[in-house]
Amino acid sequence: MSFGPESLMRTEDAPGQIDYRLARRHLVNEYKRGRLSRRDLCDAHPELMRAARNMGEATLRECPICEDAEVVLVTFAFGSRLPAHGRCVGGRDELIKLARRPGEVACYVVEVCPACSWNHLLRTFALGTITR
């Protein structure tokens, strides 16, 4: 089985969402036990940090690493009619517009701390319908 965007294609059996909370919990626990350093976890790419500052969706969740700031959510969309590097989604209205377009769009939601650069893939999901 492939783990690329094509693996997110929806069928009548599966809703097309993958949640990474267990992997997140494991990493945070390993950090709190001292098995991972802050340098191992706080390594967000500069473009991801820029997207978090400018287009991130604010949350009330405290960063599990620095505990100094609230994390923001950044959503990226990839699909056949989008740029090859994907598109940073500005909000729910834009997601609705993407869902109405023909073809499948794979979305990735990343949790980012603007203070310490913690980042973690939170979930992936598919928008649109499959044409057969």
Side-chain angles (χ1 to χ4, degrees):
M1 173 179 197
S2 168
F3 290 103
E6 61 278 355
S7 68
L8 298 174
M9 297 178 74
R10 285 190 283 175
T11 65
E12 286 131 27
D13 302 351
Q17 180 164 320
I18 302 169
D19 190 291
Y20 295 92
R21 283 182 290 186
L22 291 175
R24 178 191 188 277
R25 184 183 315 158
H26 174 72
L27 286 175
V28 171
N29 287 341
E30 291 295 294
Y31 170 74
K32 290 184 178 181
R33 289 182 185 121
R35 295 178 184 159
L36 290 173
S37 73
R38 194 167 171 166
R39 290 181 68 196
D40 293 327
L41 299 174
C42 300
D43 61 351
H45 189 276
E47 285 298 313
L48 178 58
M49 292 300 294
R50 183 186 61 77
R53 283 190 302 273
N54 297 315
M55 299 193 65
E57 177 186 337
T59 70
L60 297 176
R61 290 192 304 258
E62 184 178 77
C63 174
I65 305 303
C66 72
E67 299 176 349
D68 289 334
E70 294 170 343
V71 296
V72 297
L73 302 179
V74 181
T75 303
F76 294 97
F78 297 88
S80 61
R81 295 181 173 207
L82 295 173
H85 59 274
R87 179 171 163 185
C88 187
V89 179
R92 189 170 188 81
D93 292 339
E94 194 170 347
L95 274 177
I96 292 169
K97 287 179 187 176
L98 287 171
R100 291 181 181 150
R101 294 172 75 172
E104 186 88 8
V105 176
C107 296
Y108 296 77
V109 181
V110 181
E111 178 180 52
V112 182
C113 176
C116 73
S117 298
W118 154 259
N119 65 101
H120 191 270
L121 178 62
L122 203 56
R123 70 180 167 272
T124 59
F125 60 94
L127 293 175
T129 57
I130 299 172
T131 55
R132 296 178 192 225

